[in-house]
Amino acid sequence: MHPMLNIAVKAARRAGGIINRASRNLDVIAVKEKAAKDFVSEVDREAEQAIIRTLREAYPGHAILAEESGSSGSSEFQWIIDPLDGTTNFLHGFPQYAISIALAHKGVITQAVVYDPVRNDLFTATKGRGAFFNESRLRVSKRPHIQTALIGTGFPYRQLDHLESYLGMMRDIIRNSAGLRRPGSAALDLAWVAAGRLDGFWELGLSKWDIAAGSLLINEAGGLVGNLQGNEGYLDSGNIVAGNPKIFAQLLPLIAPHLTAALRD
Ligand code: IPD
Ligand code: CA
Ligand code: CA
């Protein structure tokens, strides 16, 4: 394993330990509403601090972009961290959430870890060296037709500007696929596309820390990731489509009719 990936795995497992311990006592967790429907708990913050400490110890010069504490440092290496993706699920005891850690080198994602502490599922990738689930190689699904595909998504719930466009996409994808799922952790959803548990995925308005690691997992597992038009730029816009190459290509024309100018990024 690449030494930088190894440190990221160590950091993710430490955060996982904190999250698992806290999950046994959900009643006593202090929660704050950062913005409407945007919750952060002391567990998010503690997990993030544990990750940052671990990374800093090994790479004191690297920059960091973390959901709860923002960005710090300046370096061609930047760690992009979501300490707990799926906080709403976590707070409800709904066991679908993950830790996401990616490393960008000169703006290109080169290392990725998504760790599901509930199942002890570890998804990792190094650019150019493939993606792994625990010890074994990851491949996206081979399902060729969207009619038999299982598609993941995330519903808009905070920012509702694009709700009508989203519902149009959703209607067309429900009509044309085998089923739609909204598990509630974008990072884990993307890892599941990489693992072939989902054949495709799309969501609007995500943040960099939700998708940085997951997008490398998918690319390294033989899948495709793009913005709503299938192009680059999804890390900045947060609008993302992903899937095995065949399903990716069949999702785009179901999404295209519902794009407004603001969604063509
Ligand atoms: C959220 C989850 C969710 C997605 C949201 C994200 P958080 O992350 O990934 O699946 O639909 O848009 O913000 O806030 O739990 O880290
Ligand atoms: Ca998140
Ligand atoms: Ca989070």
Side-chain angles (χ1 to χ4, degrees):
M1 189 184 280
H2 190 285
M4 290 185 181
L5 184 62
N6 202 27
I7 293 293
V9 168
K10 196 163 138 192
R13 288 198 184 277
R14 279 190 183 156
I18 291 169
I19 292 167
N20 280 343
R21 244 170 283 130
S23 72
R24 289 181 219 124
N25 246 326
L26 288 176
D27 298 349
V28 304
I29 295 173
V31 182
K32 251 181 63 185
E33 199 167 359
K34 283 192 277 191
K37 298 188 210 171
D38 190 359
F39 299 97
V40 59
S41 73
E42 55 187 332
V43 181
D44 300 59
R45 294 193 211 278
E46 259 176 59
E48 182 165 301
Q49 284 315 309
I51 294 168
I52 292 175
R53 263 199 313 275
T54 308
L55 298 175
R56 281 241 168 88
E57 229 169 73
Y59 301 108
H62 287 186
I64 282 174
L65 171 65
E67 180 176 10
E68 310 306 342
S69 56
S71 81
S72 62
S74 132
S75 157
E76 58 187 40
F77 291 99
Q78 186 188 45
W79 294 96
I80 304 170
I81 302 161
D82 191 334
L84 176 49
D85 185 54
T87 297
T88 302
N89 281 350
F90 169 76
L91 292 173
H92 287 256
F94 189 99
Q96 182 77 6
Y97 41 83
I99 296 123
S100 175
I101 304 176
L103 178 67
H105 182 224
K106 298 183 177 168
V108 178
I109 309 297
T110 54
Q111 311 289 345
V113 178
V114 173
Y115 179 54
D116 168 352
V118 176
R119 301 176 182 81
N120 194 23
D121 280 357
L122 180 71
F123 303 87
T124 58
T126 296
K127 191 172 170 56
R129 294 212 210 151
F132 292 83
F133 171 64
N134 298 327
E135 304 292 295
S136 49
R137 190 71 190 253
L138 268 190
R139 299 300 299 171
V140 292
S141 78
K142 293 196 174 63
R143 212 161 267 108
H145 304 299
I146 194 144
Q147 284 73 19
T148 57
L150 187 62
I151 306 297
T153 189
F155 303 146
Y157 63 102
R158 275 177 216 152
Q159 221 268 39
L160 299 180
D161 290 1
H162 304 298
L163 184 59
E164 289 312 311
S165 301
Y166 177 82
L167 291 174
M169 298 170 193
M170 189 175 168
R171 189 179 52 240
D172 284 353
I173 291 169
I174 287 175
R175 281 206 177 110
N176 287 281
S177 67
L180 194 59
R181 301 288 182 269
R182 197 283 191 243
S185 163
L188 199 53
D189 297 343
L190 294 172
W192 284 21
V193 171
R197 296 176 184 176
L198 290 168
D199 304 298
F201 176 83
W202 96 104
E203 186 165 348
L204 316 185
L206 288 167
S207 298
K208 221 179 204 171
W209 45 76
D210 300 317
I211 55 184
S215 61
L216 181 63
L217 291 173
I218 293 176
N219 282 323
E220 290 296 324
L224 294 174
V225 184
N227 66 11
L228 300 176
Q229 296 183 288
N231 303 320
E232 291 296 309
Y234 53 88
L235 276 182
D236 294 313
S237 73
N239 301 325
I240 189 170
V241 182
N244 82 34
K246 297 220 162 82
I247 299 303
F248 178 80
Q250 293 164 73
L251 279 172
L252 294 175
L254 296 175
I255 288 171
H258 309 288
L259 292 178
T260 54
L263 290 173
R264 288 196 189 87
D265 39 29

